[in-house]
């Protein structure tokens, strides 16, 4: 759901002028954080009990399918009464801004514990496995699959762990919001069936618990970090790296990480295995000493730890961590993109007069592209071209049965829909164009990701050749690509070519692209055009959202 889950103790930030003072009858006291689905506030019940209240973002609240699923998942979550879960105490699913309130847990996330204190002792890990397994029993008994169990979604209190965000991630797993290619979950903790877009079951959560426990015990992700594509490939095709895990935990975690769901233990069997383990001695109890002294002292202090961020903010990001925010990929229309190098179509002579030489452009970030590109190529070859988006696996039959592909839904209320969907032959001058993908709404969560103009998706930075990079408040283009910014709010491929020939630009600062003003980028071979609208730029979070449509010369 987000790296900043409700229920955790966050760094308290005073309410701003834009924040509400009350939601659903609860007094808001501070802002705890913001995540992919909403903003989390510290609130109090009328009797003074603290709660964590999450208000859903407007773009989700405006989607009827999201609201329906959100209501269903909240109803299921309210039936969960496990002692190792953060209880849902109230909700407003029909409010103009839907919200959810959970018990407030004054403790750090398991992710933060490991980052601050390192791997935990074997006995502590075993007790955590038992506690989380008991939480999963309660979650699964209510007919819910968590889908995003990870250290950031497990809070540590003095009397044991608390699992949060159970099942709510499914509310965002709606066709109108995810589009094709979006995976709900975090790559490093996904089960193989989830990574491939197959049906998730309670066994999916057991696999995630195994990955979580391996990370907590060894301090290393069992399937590695880096780009999501690499982690997903290893989850599906390779065995976990448990070399850093204590030997007396190896067999238990290896069973959880079985590739086939039916080969994994159920939560009750995990609890029995923990009880039988010599390090626990038949008594899995969260008494004094179950945590290392440093962790216990931090929790007992109930204060703000040193360093960046507070409890549950998810801001202590280590280099090997993968990004937790999913993105969506554009699905090509039936006129699939042709390989420009193999079409053999010569470009007609320009009708637009002498071309204006563009100004020198800003250089791309100074990291070497070759190692990442080589890794990506190897992954793509190994997967037959499917390493990046396992979600599409198994969906081909569905697309064939419906007679076409399912691309992103149009945005009729946005200028982007008008400006990025012109008629392919809106001008008689120059070549005609056919559309490869249309109105792909994409979000690059931070500067470590960029937009793949050819495929219409978000990819790790420096892994493709025709890209739109996000850097320091502007877009950065490849040195061999050209761009043009429209004077108005409608831009066709023909107008793009005319503009590039007469008024090319190399600088694309966000300030010049306000109000979804369209711009276009031409491929190095001059046969493809991508029309782009900047939809949202969140400097504080580092995320940038665009809508893109690609056209190529017909012939």
């Amino acid at each position: 759901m987000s790296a900043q889950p409700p229920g955790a103790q966050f760094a308290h930030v005073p309410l701003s002028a834009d924040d509400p003072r009350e939601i659903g009858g609860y007094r808001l006291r501070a802002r705890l954080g913001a995540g992919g689905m909403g903003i989390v506030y510290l609130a109090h019940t009328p009797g003074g009990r603290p709660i964590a209240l999450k208000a859903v973002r407007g773009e989700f609240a405006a989607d009827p399918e999201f609201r329906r699923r959100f209501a269903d998942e909240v109803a299921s979550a309210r039936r969960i009464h496990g002692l190792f879960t953060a209880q849902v105490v109230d909700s407003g699913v029909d409010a103009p801004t839907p919200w959810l309130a959970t018990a407030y847990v004054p403790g750090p996330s398991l992710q933060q514990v490991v980052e601050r204190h390192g791997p935990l002792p074997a006995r502590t890990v075993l007790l955590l496995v038992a506690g989380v397994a008991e939480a999963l029993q309660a979650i699964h008994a209510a007919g819910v699959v968590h889908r995003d169990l990870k250290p950031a979604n497990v809070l540590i209190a003095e009397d044991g762990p608390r699992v949060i965000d159970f099942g709510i991630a499914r509310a965002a797993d709606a066709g109108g919001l995810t589009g094709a290619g979006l995976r709900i979950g975090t790559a490093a903790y996904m089960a193989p069936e989830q990574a491939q877009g197959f049906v998730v079951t309670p066994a999916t959560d057991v696999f995630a618990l195994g990955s979580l426990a391996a990370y907590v015990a060894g301090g290393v992700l069992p399937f590695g970090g880096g780009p999501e594509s690499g982690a997903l490939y290893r989850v599906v095709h390779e065995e976990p790296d448990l070399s850093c895990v204590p030997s007396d935990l190896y067999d238990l975690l290896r069973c959880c990480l079985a590739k086939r769901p039916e080969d994994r233990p159920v939560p009750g069997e995990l609890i029995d295995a923990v009880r039988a383990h010599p390090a626990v001695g038949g008594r899995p109890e969260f008494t004094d000493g179950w945590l290392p002294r440093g962790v216990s002292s931090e929790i007992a202090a109930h204060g703000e730890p040193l360093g960046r961020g507070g409890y549950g903010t998810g801001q202590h990001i280590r280099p090997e961590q993968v990004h937790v925010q999913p993105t969506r990929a554009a699905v090509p229309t039936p006129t699939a993109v042709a390989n420009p190098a193999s079409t053999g179509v010569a470009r007609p002579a320009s009708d637009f007069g002498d071309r204006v030489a563009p100004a020198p452009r800003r250089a791309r970030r100074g990291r070497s592209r070759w190692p990442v590109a080589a890794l990506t190529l190897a992954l793509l070859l190994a997967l037959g071209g499917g390493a990046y988006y396992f979600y599409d696996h198994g969906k081909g039959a569905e697309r064939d049965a419906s007679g076409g592909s399912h691309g992103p839904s149009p945005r009729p209320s946005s200028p982007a829909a008008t400006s990025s969907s012109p008629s392919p032959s809106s001008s008689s001058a120059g070549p005609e164009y056919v559309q490869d993908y249309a109105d792909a709404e994409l979000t690059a969560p931070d500067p470590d990701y960029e937009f793949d103009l050819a495929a219409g998706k978000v990819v790790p930075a420096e892994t493709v050749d025709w890209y739109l990079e996000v850097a320091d408040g502007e877009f950065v283009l490849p040195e061999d690509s050209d761009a043009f910014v429209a004077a108005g709010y409608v831009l066709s491929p023909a107008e793009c070519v005319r503009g590039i020939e007469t008024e090319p630009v190399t600088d694309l600062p966000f300030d010049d692209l306000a109000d979804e003003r369209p711009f276009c980028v031409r491929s190095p071979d001059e046969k493809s055009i991508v029309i782009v609208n900047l939809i949202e730029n969140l400097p504080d979070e580092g995320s940038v959202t665009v809508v893109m449509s690609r056209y190529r010369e017909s012939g």
Side-chain angles (χ1 to χ4, degrees), residues 84-103:
F84 293 106
T85 64
Q87 182 69 39
V88 174
V89 297
D90 202 356
S91 63
V93 296
D94 296 322
T97 299
W99 55 272
L100 171 71
T102 67

Side-chain angles (χ1 to χ4, degrees), residues 37 56 60-61 63-71 98 171-172 174 177:
M37 283 179 61
V56 172
F60 289 96
D63 188 284
E65 179 65 10
F66 170 84
R67 295 182 73 102
R68 183 187 68 79
R69 291 204 182 197
F70 183 75
L177 293 173

Side-chain angles (χ1 to χ4, degrees), residues 156-506:
I156 303 301
E158 290 180 315
D159 59 349
R162 300 291 189 277
V163 176
I164 61 175
D165 273 8
F166 32 82
I168 303 301
R170 184 177 179 270
D173 192 13
L177 293 173
T178 61
L182 176 63
R183 297 173 303 274
I184 297 298
T186 304
Y189 300 96
M190 280 189 182
E193 65 272 16
Q194 188 178 14
Q196 294 174 287
F198 298 153
V199 174
V200 298
T201 67
T204 303
D205 290 340
V206 172
F207 187 98
L209 175 54
S211 293
L212 176 153
Y215 171 71
V216 172
V220 177
L221 294 170
F223 296 99
E228 284 193 351
S229 56
L232 290 172
Y233 176 81
R234 291 187 291 271
V235 163
V236 174
H237 295 285
E238 297 182 1
E239 295 302 313
D241 177 8
L242 301 178
S243 58
C244 296
V245 172
S247 58
D248 54 348
L249 300 180
Y250 184 91
D251 290 341
L252 177 64
L253 301 189
R254 189 61 180 262
C255 292
C256 295
L257 296 173
K259 298 298 184 188
R260 299 196 312 166
E262 59 268 28
D263 293 336
R264 299 169 203 153
V266 298
E269 292 172 332
L270 287 177
I271 296 173
D272 291 341
V274 170
R275 294 178 63 90
H277 198 283
V280 175
R283 299 181 62 184
E285 299 174 356
F286 294 91
T287 54
D288 290 342
W290 83 274
L291 284 170
R293 182 175 302 174
V295 180
S296 296
S297 298
E298 180 180 321
I299 296 173
H302 288 204
E304 190 65 24
L306 297 176
R308 296 179 291 117
Y311 290 152
T313 60
Q315 294 173 354
H316 297 262
I317 305 299
R318 295 168 55 156
E320 67 268 24
Q321 284 181 256
V322 298
H323 204 284
V324 298
Q325 295 188 7
T327 57
R328 88 180 78 183
V331 175
T333 59
T335 54
V337 61
N339 182 354
S342 64
T343 57
V345 179
R347 176 174 175 79
S350 173
D351 295 327
F352 306 128
D354 295 335
R355 180 174 178 176
V356 179
R361 71 187 69 219
R362 168 179 171 161
R364 187 181 175 92
R365 289 193 296 265
R367 300 199 302 264
S368 170
R369 294 171 55 88
W370 167 245
V372 179
L375 172 62
T376 302
L377 177 60
L379 290 172
L380 289 173
L381 291 174
L383 281 174
Y388 276 104
Y389 288 93
F390 283 108
Y391 181 91
D392 284 341
H393 185 84
K395 296 293 185 181
E398 178 182 335
R399 288 194 291 266
D400 292 341
S402 63
S405 62
H406 300 281
S409 57
R411 297 164 46 91
S413 61
S414 167
T418 302
S419 60
S420 62
S421 303
S423 169
S425 58
S426 58
S427 174
S428 59
E432 292 188 351
Y433 289 86
V434 294
Q435 197 169 60
D436 282 328
Y437 62 77
D439 297 330
E441 183 176 345
L442 310 168
T443 297
D446 57 46
D448 288 331
Y449 291 78
E450 63 192 11
F451 301 104
D452 182 344
L453 296 175
K457 64 185 180 183
V458 176
V459 297
E462 304 191 10
T463 58
V464 296
D465 292 323
W466 193 30
Y467 57 84
L468 195 60
E469 178 186 349
V470 177
D472 300 328
E474 67 176 323
F475 291 116
V476 178
L477 301 172
E479 294 184 359
D480 50 2
S481 287
D482 304 300
F484 167 72
V485 179
Y489 293 96
V490 177
L491 182 61
S492 69
E495 291 166 340
C496 172
V497 173
R498 184 182 299 110
I500 287 175
E501 297 293 340
T502 58
E503 301 178 77
V505 298
T506 56

